[in-house]
Amino acid sequence: MGVALSKAAQWTIADCGTETLEITPLNESLLKQIVKFAVNFSTRHPQEAAFVFREPLEWETQLDYSVFGGGESYEFSETTVQSEDKGEDGQLLHSITTSTVRVHNFDQLSRFLQNAMEKKLMEAQTCLEANREPIVKILGPEYGTVEGQEMSLLHLLDKLENDSNPERVMKMKIFLLLRQLDLQLLRSSLKHISEHIRLNPDAINNEVNLLKKISGNEEDTVMESLEYTSDYIFSNGCRAPPWRQVHGEICYLVIKPHDTDPLCITCSAEGVFLNGGQLKGKNDIDYERKSNVYKDIVTFLRERSPRFVETMAKQKYNIFKKTTSEKTYKRMEVADAKVSGQSKNLYDFTEKTVCEKMKSSAARRRSIDKKKLEPTIQWKNSRLFASHRSKYFSDKAAKKDIEEEGRSSAESPELTKRDSGISSESVKMQPASKCKTSVRFEELSESSSETEEDEEQPVCRHERNTDLPSEYWGIQKLARYLKGGNPTATVIALCFMRHFNLAQEPCKLAIRDSGCLEVLINLLDTEEIKCQIGSLKILKEISQNTLTRHAIADLGGLEIMVKILDSPDKDLKCLAAETIANVALFKQARRIVRQHGGIKKLVGLLECSSVRSTSLTPYQATDTEIARCGALALWSCSKDIKNKEEIRKAGGIPLLARWLKCSHANILTPVVGTLQECASEPSYRLAIRTEGMIENLVKNLSGENEELQMLCASAIFKCAEDKETRDLVRQHGGLQPLSILLGNSENKQLLAAVTGAIWKCAISGENVSKFREYKTIETLVGLLTDQSEEVLVNVIGALAECCQEPVNRATIRKCDGIPPLVNLLTGTNQALLVNVTKAVGACAIEPENMMIIDRLDGVRLLWSLLKNPNPDVQASAAWAICPCIENAKDAGEMVRSFVGGLELVVNLLKSKNKEVLTSVCAAITGIAKDEENLAVITEHGVVPLLSKLTNTNNDKLRRHLAEAISQCCTWGRNRVTFGETKAIASLVRYLKSNDPSVHRATAQALYQLSEDPNNCITMHENGAVKLLLAMVGSTDETLQEAAAGCIANIRRLALAIEKAKYG
């Protein structure tokens, strides 16, 4: 823990001047590992755990004394808690005095953290902050890390050879264990840091250079200046000193905004943040972080300088002067204007515009040779530009690229002399480059603040030290023809480009680096159909790449594709829809499609008259292909809730239902894919049921296309939440194909969907009978091992539902299914634990099963899950414990054997979750049947806690609460205590419920409580007699007897009072 705490952990200085651990994901991860190590130390290393520390670990605790086990292993006084265990010299090994903890060995530390329960991390953090060198306190100063870890270790080994003292050997073992933990923590922190790196020196340098170009004292600039604090650059590109580089820091900047004081910021791999500024009288800065961490400098300035935001919003200029690509574009416009006989829809230049541009062309040509080719502003603002050179090029490759660009720049003036020159970049270039400049810049920070659960992140590549292949340079050359050719040359260049394998990384890289991506997107905005089709065919292929998808969205490609959906050309619409399907795999892209009316247009593509045709004419085949492409795009877009609603409003459900009846698998796949995505919404589930789609989903389960089978099963999985749907699946014969598909265990996605559908269908008892007929339960038991957690959650959920029938519980036992179920109780997946506890609880109803569960220590595992922080797991574990107590051979003794178990159950009555409260009340009903256990929980305060819960309107909780109260009345003065804690009046109100089971439980509770005279008076005052009289005539004998007995007790008291009063 020594090196990891000092180097890897993130520390900050609190207001009082002491160093504290920051609340960061990295620190939380390190603390969890340290806590796990400490908690498990006593069981894994019992001899080492008993070793007494050189000095005790001391810190201030926030724990209450009540958490320390009810006095079983601790001695209590008014101000102290101390352990019963003592050292050889009689020294206390664990004590708490006025909130100060002192721990002398790992065994006591492990017990303390176990008692801390959900406060483990907070206590561990406080302990480490108070004991900055825990190894020194545990083992002594000679084990510190001052001289360096390796030298220290060699020194200790040398001592160990010359001295065989058992205590020294024990210290060495503990030191090695702590050193192993140290290495584990360092590896974990390195992995954490590597996964969260977002910036590098090149990206920061690019951003600084770009911002410098729009800085100055003029009114239209965004800031006064932006300067590095150091001019020295290390070989890795960083300007921060080496001892700060180990913390991920890259450089430091001084920013002078127009409207605030100068800001000194740190640029690190994790992001940009404000530091403490220049230290007075020293040539150094305060490195302490003083603000949140931001994605980049622009995002930071938007938060700090209102003037910066205002200026950026007003400006519509090219922020970084005119880029070379724009210069080339304007030269090509001049050349285009000279061409005669060209289509006017591509060239709409006035004579005046041509003359003006020709006058400035010479100056632009002169500057082209002096300046390296730069990307346009949109490309710079896209997330690809920031670091693509440093990530993709070696020095040699970058040099070759610069030479190639230099040749391109030198040759470019000649292009203006060609008679047939056309710039495909020139077509409607203004909206793509200029008008969106400020908008894109604003989105730099807006998008950075979004947290998207399904957001795909661009993949970072490492530098390559090999030359780029010939395909890269071939596409670079074709890029010149795309930028400078006429329509025919452009189409030919597009065709040649398609001959390359665009799925290869070098080809995608060449398209991005040469500026082709922007050219391809601008080609979509022309009126030349062939150019549009060629461009879309390339975009469709390269948009399978994550980086390219983001770039297309950043460059405005989606908006143009949405417009193309209105085109009369059917091939063009198909390609646009397919490309949208590829690009719309992240949230921002899906939002763009919705905001520009794309959802309605995509739904419109589904309209076709040839839905049920088996043999299609060429015209019908084209319409079917359009519908397929539209369904593909809707499938991608349907991952957002708002898009699902847009599809419904646009009339997409009836159209999807029509296409579901066709027999063509190529269109069925995206149609069912869209439906299963939307089936998470109740409105869609209702529509799927009422539109008759369940029959078609069931029908396609028997096909040969595994992807289609998986999607149909997934749709049934989501829709079968409703009973009507479960009945329809059975009526249309869907249960048998689902059972058959369980045999395909190699396709894990299909298996997960099928087991999910079986789980939800098994909620209905009629379906369970069918599954028993198809031997489904035996197959499910066979899937309890060697499966992913996703499959296991569904399999065990299905078994839990099937276990509601006695014959199925016996089947699981005969198939040896109980041991794997009990083994899964030690897992960590919360959804899996909920289902496993439910299944084990259902199996425990059978006495034979209960014997196996008890032998495997299953009840103890269930009890330990009551400590789980997830209320769903707590509730499910408590419900499972109920049949275990009822069917165990010696339930009372078994429950008492769990140290602290009864106190844990009673404390759960303080939960805020209704299901937890209900299940715990049911468990207490079973526990209280044993007199000794009832006495223990009474001492732990069960009576006032139950009384406090009586003021509830939840009938399920009322029933089990009344049963628990009834059972607890049989011990000592509990009846009197219930009356003193005001429980009687609330219980009387339960008799007005509409639930007969609540009446029965309440009458039994009132009967037990009526044994106390004061309680009888309270019942009479609250009108219990009238309500109980009505229940005496019930057909439920238990209710009859309880109601009559309660009335009899009240009447006896009244007679006794009259007799005493009147003689």
Side-chain angles (χ1 to χ4, degrees):
M1 291 186 289
V3 177
L5 282 180
S6 60
K7 300 296 184 184
Q10 298 167 331
W11 295 84
T12 186
I13 297 177
D15 295 337
C16 58
T18 59
E19 283 192 303
T20 60
L21 286 166
E22 290 185 88
I23 302 173
T24 63
L26 173 58
N27 282 351
E28 185 179 355
S29 173
L30 296 178
L31 283 172
K32 285 181 179 177
Q33 293 179 66
I34 292 171
V35 167
K36 183 179 179 181
F37 173 87
V39 169
N40 296 331
F41 194 96
S42 59
T43 54
R44 294 181 178 177
H45 314 285
Q47 292 182 347
E48 289 78 5
F51 175 82
V52 179
F53 297 164
R54 179 75 169 267
E55 295 179 35
L57 298 178
E58 297 184 22
W59 72 93
E60 298 295 320
T61 182
Q62 301 296 324
L63 296 181
D64 189 81
Y65 290 173
S66 61
V67 304
F68 294 99
E72 293 177 5
S73 52
Y74 294 91
E75 297 176 358
F76 287 76
S77 68
E78 292 182 2
T79 59
T80 63
V81 176
Q82 60 189 34
S83 65
E84 295 178 349
D85 299 334
K86 296 182 180 180
E88 294 179 358
D89 56 354
Q91 182 186 30
L92 291 174
L93 296 181
H94 181 202
S95 64
I96 303 176
T97 306
T98 61
S99 77
T100 300
V101 180
R102 293 181 182 84
V103 176
H104 290 261
N105 64 15
F106 275 108
D107 183 56
Q108 294 298 328
L109 180 62
S110 175
R111 292 188 193 180
F112 178 88
L113 291 175
Q114 287 175 0
N115 286 321
M117 297 176 68
E118 70 273 8
K119 294 184 179 179
K120 286 190 188 79
L121 289 184
M122 184 175 69
E123 291 297 322
Q125 178 180 345
T126 310
C127 175
L128 293 173
E129 289 170 353
N131 303 275
R132 285 299 303 272
E133 292 189 9
I135 294 179
V136 173
K137 285 200 168 188
I138 293 170
L139 301 175
E142 65 270 27
Y143 291 83
T145 56
V146 177
E147 297 178 357
Q149 187 78 0
E150 294 302 319
M151 289 300 293
S152 175
L153 185 60
L154 291 172
H155 177 66
L156 293 169
L157 286 173
D158 184 57
K159 277 190 173 184
L160 194 61
E161 286 183 1
N162 302 325
D163 185 2
S164 58
N165 185 349
E167 182 180 356
R168 189 177 297 279
V169 173
M170 179 64 70
K171 283 186 176 182
M172 191 62 192
K173 288 181 180 179
I174 295 174
F175 177 78
L176 291 174
L177 290 171
L178 293 175
R179 188 169 181 271
Q180 185 179 1
L181 171 64
D182 211 18
L183 293 173
Q184 178 186 336
L185 295 176
L186 287 171
R187 283 195 295 268
S188 175
S189 63
L190 286 173
K191 181 181 178 182
H192 180 92
I193 291 170
S194 65
E195 290 174 349
H196 290 80
I197 287 180
R198 298 182 301 186
L199 296 180
N200 57 41
D202 287 343
I204 293 171
N205 191 47
N206 286 338
E207 190 174 12
V208 170
N209 291 336
L210 298 177
L211 287 171
K212 279 184 176 181
K213 294 181 181 180
I214 54 173
S215 301
N217 294 321
E218 295 82 6
E219 290 186 1
D220 60 345
T221 55
V222 295
M223 71 183 82
E224 289 185 18
S225 64
L226 176 72
E227 299 295 340
Y228 290 107
T229 59
S230 172
D231 293 329
Y232 183 80
I233 304 175
F234 291 87
S235 59
N236 59 359
C238 295
R239 296 172 187 255
W243 60 89
R244 299 305 301 176
Q245 289 183 31
V246 298
H247 297 283
E249 294 175 3
I250 297 170
C251 66
Y252 311 95
L253 295 166
V254 176
I255 301 174
K256 292 184 179 179
H258 287 297
D259 53 348
T260 64
D261 295 332
L263 304 169
C264 190
I265 66 170
T266 299
C267 299
S268 70
E270 293 184 352
V272 176
F273 57 85
L274 184 70
N275 58 43
Q278 190 76 25
L279 294 172
K280 292 183 180 180
K282 295 183 180 179
N283 189 21
D284 202 357
I285 64 172
D286 180 6
Y287 300 107
E288 187 68 28
R289 178 161 65 87
K290 304 295 183 182
S291 71
N292 294 330
V293 180
Y294 298 89
K295 175 189 173 184
D296 49 33
I297 302 172
V298 172
T299 309
F300 173 85
L301 286 170
R302 286 179 61 83
E303 292 292 326
R304 294 281 170 172
S305 173
R307 172 77 177 273
F308 178 86
V309 178
E310 181 183 351
T311 307
M312 291 304 303
K314 288 180 179 178
Q315 296 294 345
K316 293 185 179 180
Y317 54 84
N318 272 344
I319 299 178
F320 310 106
K321 313 276 185 179
K322 289 182 172 62
T323 61
T324 307
S325 61
E326 288 175 321
K327 295 174 184 177
T328 306
Y329 145 65
K330 292 187 177 178
R331 284 200 307 277
M332 295 309 160
E333 286 186 334
V334 176
D336 297 341
K338 296 180 180 180
V339 179
S340 59
Q342 299 292 342
S343 172
K344 287 188 178 182
N345 57 11
L346 278 174
Y347 316 100
D348 189 19
F349 305 111
T350 62
E351 186 176 350
K352 180 179 178 181
T353 306
V354 173
C355 292
E356 288 177 353
K357 292 182 178 178
M358 288 186 69
K359 287 178 184 178
S360 58
S361 63
R364 284 196 295 270
R365 282 197 300 272
R366 283 194 297 273
S367 65
I368 215 77
D369 295 326
K370 298 178 182 178
K371 188 175 180 182
K372 189 179 76 172
L373 186 66
E374 294 179 359
T376 62
I377 177 59
Q378 282 189 326
W379 185 249
K380 287 183 178 182
N381 286 340
S382 74
R383 64 189 76 197
L384 301 174
F385 177 75
S387 57
H388 76 282
R389 282 195 181 277
S390 64
K391 290 175 182 174
Y392 288 94
F393 289 100
S394 63
D395 293 339
K396 189 173 180 181
K399 183 177 179 183
K400 190 172 181 180
D401 186 30
I402 293 170
E403 291 173 357
E404 187 72 14
E405 290 175 344
R407 289 195 296 272
S408 173
S409 300
E411 292 169 1
S412 57
E414 299 176 7
L415 295 175
T416 59
K417 301 177 182 178
R418 297 179 185 172
D419 292 336
S420 59
I422 176 177
S423 170
S424 45
E425 265 189 305
S426 66
V427 183
K428 297 191 179 179
M429 193 70 174
Q430 293 286 355
S433 300
K434 295 185 179 180
C435 297
K436 289 187 180 179
T437 297
S438 60
V439 176
R440 300 305 313 153
F441 221 95
E442 289 176 23
E443 287 179 0
L444 270 174
S445 59
E446 289 174 5
S447 62
S448 68
S449 63
E450 283 188 3
T451 302
E452 302 173 355
E453 56 218 287
D454 58 345
E455 183 76 22
E456 54 179 8
Q457 296 298 328
V459 180
C460 294
R461 307 271 194 260
H462 297 288
E463 271 190 56
R464 291 194 296 259
N465 295 319
T466 57
D467 289 336
L468 292 167
S470 58
E471 288 86 352
Y472 178 89
W473 305 111
I475 290 180
Q476 289 271 13
K477 291 177 183 178
L478 282 176
R480 295 185 218 149
Y481 293 99
L482 278 181
K483 296 176 182 178
N486 59 25
T488 303
T490 301
V491 172
I492 292 172
L494 290 170
C495 292
F496 271 110
M497 192 173 287
R498 289 198 65 218
H499 283 297
F500 289 95
N501 184 359
L502 298 177
Q504 290 183 347
E505 187 65 28
C507 296
K508 290 180 283 191
L509 185 59
I511 289 173
R512 292 197 295 270
D513 292 345
S514 62
C516 273
L517 194 58
E518 191 173 37
V519 176
L520 291 169
I521 289 172
N522 284 316
L523 280 174
L524 298 179
D525 219 5
T526 69
E527 295 181 10
E528 288 292 327
I529 301 296
K530 291 181 180 178
C531 290
Q532 289 177 307
I533 290 176
S535 175
L536 279 172
K537 285 184 177 180
I538 293 172
L539 288 171
K540 185 184 80 171
E541 291 189 45
I542 64 175
S543 60
Q544 315 241 357
N545 175 267
T546 302
L547 287 166
T548 307
R549 281 198 285 271
H550 284 269
I552 291 171
D554 289 340
L555 294 169
L558 280 170
E559 293 92 325
I560 304 173
M561 292 179 207
V562 169
K563 291 180 184 177
I564 291 174
L565 294 176
D566 290 327
S567 170
D569 188 282
K570 296 183 177 180
D571 292 337
L572 201 56
K573 287 197 287 190
C574 284
L575 288 167
E578 277 193 282
T579 311
I580 289 172
N582 289 341
V583 176
L585 293 178
F586 62 103
K587 195 169 186 178
Q588 180 192 355
R590 295 192 288 270
R591 183 170 60 246
I592 292 171
V593 174
R594 182 182 70 250
Q595 290 173 346
H596 289 81
I599 301 296
K600 187 174 182 180
K601 293 177 182 179
L602 290 170
V603 170
L605 298 183
L606 298 178
E607 295 181 0
C608 179
S609 58
S610 57
V611 174
R612 299 193 185 182
S613 304
T614 52
S615 57
L616 302 176
T617 64
Y619 180 83
Q620 290 175 329
T622 303
D623 281 355
T624 302
E625 179 63 13
I626 292 173
R628 183 190 73 83
C629 296
L632 275 173
L634 288 174
W635 188 4
S636 296
C637 293
S638 62
K639 291 178 173 62
D640 282 358
I641 294 177
K642 290 184 178 178
N643 286 354
K644 293 174 186 177
E645 183 62 19
E646 285 291 321
I647 294 171
R648 188 187 64 78
K649 289 180 179 179
I653 295 177
L655 293 172
L656 290 169
R658 286 173 57 194
W659 280 111
L660 194 58
K661 297 174 182 176
C662 78
S663 56
H664 306 292
N666 61 339
I667 188 172
L668 276 173
T669 300
V671 166
V672 178
T674 306
L675 286 171
Q676 68 89 21
E677 284 288 350
C678 295
S680 58
E681 298 299 309
S683 58
Y684 273 89
R685 293 201 294 269
L686 176 62
I688 289 171
R689 186 173 72 246
T690 54
E691 292 281 347
M693 292 189 238
I694 298 297
E695 181 179 1
N696 298 108
L697 291 172
V698 168
K699 176 184 175 184
N700 289 313
L701 287 173
S702 302
E704 297 180 356
N705 187 315
E706 288 191 356
E707 183 183 11
L708 183 57
Q709 289 174 328
M710 182 267 291
L711 293 170
C712 289
S714 180
I716 292 172
F717 177 21
K718 294 178 181 179
C719 292
E721 295 282 353
D722 308 318
K723 184 181 185 305
E724 295 85 351
T725 301
R726 296 195 292 270
D727 294 339
L728 286 173
V729 173
R730 182 183 69 257
Q731 291 164 11
H732 293 299
L735 302 181
Q736 187 170 11
L738 284 173
S739 301
I740 293 171
L741 287 173
L742 282 177
N744 191 348
S745 58
E746 295 179 0
N747 188 332
K748 298 302 179 184
Q749 286 185 318
L750 175 60
L751 188 61
V754 169
T755 51
I758 290 174
W759 172 19
K760 296 303 178 183
C761 288
I763 297 173
S764 295
E766 300 90 338
N767 293 347
V768 172
S769 301
K770 285 288 184 182
F771 285 135
R772 185 173 66 251
E773 180 183 332
Y774 302 139
K775 305 294 183 184
T776 307
I777 294 148
E778 291 86 339
T779 309
L780 288 171
V781 172
L783 295 173
L784 287 175
T785 54
D786 300 325
Q787 297 297 336
S788 65
E789 286 188 343
E790 183 183 8
V791 173
L792 284 173
V793 169
N794 297 338
V795 168
I796 296 171
L799 288 174
E801 297 298 339
C802 292
C803 280
Q804 304 307 317
E805 293 187 1
V807 62
N808 294 334
R809 295 195 285 268
T811 301
I812 292 174
R813 183 183 69 253
K814 292 173 183 176
C815 294
D816 294 327
I818 293 177
L821 283 174
V822 173
N823 289 338
L824 289 170
L825 288 171
T826 59
T828 57
N829 183 300
Q830 304 298 300
L832 181 60
L833 287 174
V834 170
N835 285 354
V836 171
T837 49
K838 186 177 180 181
V840 171
C843 288
I845 296 173
E846 296 291 323
E848 293 182 31
N849 292 352
M850 183 57 218
M851 291 174 63
I852 300 173
I853 294 169
D854 192 19
R855 187 174 68 248
L856 297 171
D857 211 17
V859 184
R860 185 181 299 275
L861 292 173
L862 285 171
W863 216 285
S864 67
L865 289 175
L866 295 176
K867 299 179 183 179
N868 193 290
N870 188 324
D872 293 333
V873 176
Q874 289 177 343
S876 188
W879 284 122
I881 286 170
C882 295
C884 292
I885 295 173
E886 185 177 346
N887 295 289
K889 193 171 184 181
D890 190 356
E893 183 59 34
M894 177 187 72
V895 171
R896 283 192 296 278
S897 69
F898 304 143
V899 178
L902 292 173
E903 183 183 8
L904 176 61
V905 171
V906 173
N907 285 334
L908 283 176
L909 290 173
K910 300 173 185 177
S911 173
K912 303 297 183 184
N913 186 284
K914 287 287 194 294
E915 190 65 21
V916 172
L917 294 173
T918 306
S919 58
V920 170
C921 286
I924 287 173
T925 303
I927 292 169
K929 291 178 182 178
D930 181 89
E931 191 174 272
E932 290 185 40
N933 290 339
L934 177 55
V936 173
I937 62 175
T938 300
E939 288 180 9
H940 287 310
V942 72
V943 173
L945 288 173
L946 289 173
S947 298
K948 193 175 180 181
L949 297 176
T950 53
N951 191 21
T952 178
N953 295 322
N954 186 303
D955 277 345
K956 188 177 180 183
L957 176 56
R958 282 176 166 182
R959 173 195 165 189
H960 292 285
L961 178 57
E963 289 176 352
I965 290 173
S966 175
Q967 202 65 48
C968 289
C969 283
T970 59
W971 174 258
R973 295 185 70 258
N974 285 357
R975 291 188 181 90
V976 177
T977 308
F978 278 120
E980 292 172 350
T981 51
K982 312 296 183 185
I984 309 300
S986 299
L987 282 171
V988 171
R989 287 197 296 273
Y990 291 5
L991 297 174
K992 298 177 182 179
S993 169
N994 295 322
D995 188 345
S997 62
V998 175
H999 295 164
R1000 182 171 58 254
T1002 305
Q1004 288 176 314
L1006 291 174
Y1007 172 61
Q1008 291 291 338
L1009 291 166
S1010 65
E1011 298 290 336
D1012 177 64
N1014 291 327
N1015 292 345
C1016 290
I1017 294 170
T1018 306
M1019 292 178 200
H1020 189 273
E1021 290 173 350
N1022 286 274
V1025 175
K1026 183 178 179 181
L1027 296 169
L1028 289 168
L1029 280 172
M1031 295 176 185
V1032 172
S1034 171
T1035 55
D1036 185 337
E1037 292 184 5
T1038 305
L1039 176 58
Q1040 277 182 349
E1041 291 178 7
C1046 184
I1047 293 171
N1049 287 338
I1050 295 171
R1051 182 59 184 156
R1052 284 193 199 98
L1053 176 64
L1055 290 173
I1057 292 172
E1058 285 184 17
K1059 186 175 182 180
K1061 188 174 181 180
Y1062 301 108

